[in-house]
């Protein structure tokens, strides 16, 4: 069985959408990625940090999904990373109101012995210095290294982020971040520029408008499933990344054709994530539901046309 190591925030989130708001609930990039990847039955573990205020039952929830939390350091006298965001009425855009790094500010990650030979590495959203420290602790390069990041790190730690981007195979970012990183409005041109920074595969997430996968000259597009109701988009991007890397880790196949399936798997899982607040939907998701929705994806995109 392939091993998947996931790095990213494990957090408290406070979320406000047009449909309601939450107090501090379980969130974080690594949380969403791991819950999503856990659907593929691979052996996965998280490297992250939390404070003494982080409830043990949140770790238990991850363990219940067979996600190893041995690499989550608990700083007893510290506070957990906290993020607060508010969504606009279209739910496609949001404002970050608070990002309190807390224990993340001077975190020195330690990769557990069991994951030093990870076959796949998912560098989820967090400080690029932490992402780099994890890369450096894995002696044999994994079969595939994927990275997800966001504008916060582009704004605050661009040089360190660029060093990490130079070392990875796949980057997953949203359209606005791709534009910011490349300085190009056209996403095709943006992907070309990002290829030159390092990654052979560039995945650009476009929220309810799907995702694009670029591999030099080749492009693939996956729609997002048109949903009757979107409740809370928080974590959709991370859930997408978790589904993407989970699919690849399960199959062990890093070809472009398999990445197309991985993009569909990611989009499929993200479609569930947005149906409830926070991680709730991802904690209660059956294989049967996943398979039924995959069929919907197939029907959504299949067509016959005569070429003359
Ligand atoms: P997404 O909606 O997929 O972009 O991810 C939302 C998750 O990212 C939330 O659970 C937050 O805790 C987490 N998050 C927000 N800002 C940051 C940041 N600057 N670094 C790492 N994780 C973050």
């Amino acid at each position: 069985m392939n091993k998947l190591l996931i790095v990213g925030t494990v957090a408290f989130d406070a979320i406000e959408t047009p449909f309601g708001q939450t107090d501090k609930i379980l969130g974080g990039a690594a949380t969403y990625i791991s819950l999503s990847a856990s659907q593929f039955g691979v052996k996965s573990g998280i490297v992250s940090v939390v404070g003494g205020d982080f409830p043990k039952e949140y770790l238990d929830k991850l363990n219940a999904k067979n996600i190893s939390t041995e690499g989550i350091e608990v700083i007893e006298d510290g506070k957990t990373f906290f993020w607060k965001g508010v969504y606009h009425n279209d739910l496609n855009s949001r404002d970050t109101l608070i990002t309190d790094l807390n224990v993340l500010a001077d975190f020195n990650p330690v990769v557990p012995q069991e994951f030093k030979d990870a076959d796949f590495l998912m560098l989820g959203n967090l400080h690029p210095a932490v992402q780099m420290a994890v890369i450096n602790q894995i002696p044999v390069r994994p079969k595939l290294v994927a990275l997800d990041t966001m504008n916060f790190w582009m704004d605050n730690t661009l040089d360190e982020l660029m060093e990490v981007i130079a070392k990875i195979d796949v980057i997953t970012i949203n359209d606005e971040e791709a534009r910011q990183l490349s300085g190009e409005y056209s996403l095709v041109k943006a992907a070309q520029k990002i290829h030159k920074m390092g990654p052979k595969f560039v995945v650009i997430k476009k929220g309810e408008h799907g995702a694009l996968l670029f591999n030099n000259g080749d492009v693939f597009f996956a729609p997002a499933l048109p949903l009757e109701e979107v409740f809370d988009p928080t974590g959709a991007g991370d859930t997408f990344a978790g589904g993407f890397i989970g699919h690849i880790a399960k199959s062990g196949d890093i070809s472009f054709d398999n990445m197309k399936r991985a993009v569909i798997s990611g989009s499929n899982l993200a479609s569930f994530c947005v149906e409830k607040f926070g991680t709730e939907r991802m904690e209660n998701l059956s294989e049967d539901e996943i398979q039924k929705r995959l069929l919907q994806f197939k029907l959504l995109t299949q067509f016959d046309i005569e070429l003359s």
Side-chain angles (χ1 to χ4, degrees), residues 42-72:
V42 291
K43 189 175 171 58
S44 66
I46 297 178
V47 168
S48 192
V49 64
V50 293
D53 55 352
F54 195 74
K56 184 173 171 305
E57 60 259 34
Y58 284 174
L59 296 177
D60 294 341
K61 280 186 185 194
L62 298 172
N63 295 149
K65 296 275 178 190
N66 255 331
I67 300 159
S68 165
T69 54
E70 200 195 322
I72 303 183

Side-chain angles (χ1 to χ4, degrees), residues 9 11 13 27-28 32 81 83 94 125 150 152-153 233-238:
T9 42
D13 286 350
Y32 283 102
F81 174 89
W83 175 78
R94 71 182 177 207
N125 195 9
M150 73 188 286
F152 181 87
W153 304 110
T234 308
D238 302 313

